[in-house]
Amino acid sequence: MKKDATLEDWLDLGLFTRILCHEMNNLLASQQGFLKLLERGHQDHATLTRWNEEVVKANHGLQDLVRSIQSFIHEEPPSQEHRLDETQLQNQMKELAEQALQEGAQISWLALTRILIVISKQIQFNHSDKLKWVLTYTQGPLAHHLLEQANQIRAFLCIATTLNQNAALSSELEAATHRILPPRNSALRDWHWALIIGLLRQSQGDIRLYEIQSDEGELSLKLEILIPLREGLGSGS
């Protein structure tokens, strides 16, 4: 691991490794399936070519995943003067995660706590907003969501906050949802978004970002983290 690694660095590496193993299993299963088909043989040359291409693509995907994690491991940490005292933020997000689980959120406490802490830091880095997270219930399928999992009809716990307009935030989130891990030598912010998206995918959660208008006509952004609820919860809300 990189020198001067913090506890948060080790924690993120562990979570990234879990995401990596999950995605590698998917790629390996795909690769093995096509290899079995190739072993059986096929008379159609075009079909054989396509199967072979799928095996090669899965292999390249595995290599990219491993290289991405390697680049994250060897990245130098920010200098000490840029490390902030985040004890208060961490305690607040831990309390929020505990409350969400009591409300029936289907996710591990560790994963949700890390999502909340990291995303709060991501937003506060770009904004002077004092974030206030609100818990509500909502039903799928949903509009404006960035992953595919909110297409299903189910109940979600919605952890939401409102913030100022920011085009960079929208583009960062959009980019993060279209890849498993960022390319090698990406900025630390890209890795943090990848961590958030990866943990949400594993928990069958989702995220959405959309504009809202105040009574005075001012536009702002609403960011919502959507976590599936245990069956029977949230349906009446």
Side-chain angles (χ1 to χ4, degrees):
M1 185 65 176
K2 55 198 176 185
K3 63 181 180 180
D4 301 326
T6 65
L7 178 61
E8 286 74 22
D9 292 325
W10 285 104
L11 178 60
D12 286 350
L13 178 59
L15 293 172
F16 270 127
T17 303
R18 191 175 83 183
I19 294 166
L20 175 69
C21 290
H22 177 81
E23 298 298 341
M24 285 178 70
N25 281 334
N26 290 338
L27 287 168
L28 283 169
S30 172
Q31 189 180 57
Q32 290 169 356
F34 280 104
L35 282 171
K36 288 180 180 179
L37 289 173
L38 285 171
E39 288 174 1
R40 296 174 189 172
H42 198 283
Q43 299 301 316
D44 180 28
H45 177 72
T47 301
L48 282 172
T49 300
R50 182 174 65 83
W51 288 348
N52 186 68
E53 289 173 351
E54 291 292 338
V55 172
V56 172
K57 184 170 69 174
N59 185 265
H60 288 167
L62 287 169
Q63 290 176 334
D64 289 342
L65 281 172
V66 172
R67 287 169 182 160
S68 293
I69 287 291
Q70 286 175 327
S71 72
F72 175 75
I73 291 171
H74 296 297
E75 178 184 307
E76 285 299 317
S79 57
Q80 287 295 328
E81 59 266 22
H82 290 99
R83 292 191 185 277
L84 303 176
D85 181 6
E86 297 165 351
T87 303
Q88 184 177 4
L89 171 65
Q90 291 182 5
N91 289 338
Q92 289 173 346
M93 295 305 103
K94 287 175 182 178
E95 291 176 4
L96 181 59
E98 288 174 357
Q99 183 183 352
L101 265 65
Q102 290 172 2
E103 295 287 338
Q106 290 287 79
I107 189 173
S108 73
W109 179 85
L110 175 60
L112 182 56
T113 300
R114 200 64 192 137
I115 288 171
L116 292 170
I117 289 173
V118 175
I119 206 169
S120 295
K121 287 164 60 178
Q122 293 282 83
I123 296 171
Q124 288 180 326
F125 183 82
N126 275 341
H127 300 275
S128 58
D129 303 79
K130 290 187 177 179
L131 299 180
K132 180 180 179 181
W133 294 97
V134 178
L135 273 61
T136 58
Y137 295 110
T138 189
Q139 296 279 344
L142 306 170
H144 311 298
H145 63 96
L146 293 169
L147 302 178
E148 293 299 320
Q149 287 144 196
N151 280 324
Q152 52 192 315
I153 300 175
R154 66 185 307 175
F156 293 93
L157 182 69
C158 177
I159 309 172
T161 190
T162 304
L163 52 145
N164 293 334
Q165 285 279 20
N166 187 285
L169 178 64
S170 300
S171 60
E172 285 177 357
L173 256 177
E174 186 72 25
T177 58
H178 287 93
R179 60 193 180 215
I180 298 171
L181 293 174
R184 281 176 290 171
N185 304 317
S186 295
L188 189 59
R189 284 182 62 80
D190 293 328
W191 282 104
H192 284 159
W193 284 123
L195 176 64
I196 292 163
I197 298 301
L199 292 174
L200 284 172
R201 282 195 177 110
Q202 284 193 311
S203 68
Q204 297 296 303
D206 218 307
I207 189 167
R208 60 178 179 173
L209 183 71
Y210 57 96
E211 285 186 341
I212 57 174
Q213 189 171 21
S214 67
D215 294 337
E216 294 76 25
E218 294 182 353
L219 290 176
S220 56
L221 289 175
K222 189 165 189 179
L223 177 69
E224 296 180 339
I225 302 167
L226 303 164
I227 306 296
L229 285 164
R230 292 196 299 269
E231 290 187 14
L233 292 177
S235 56
S237 302

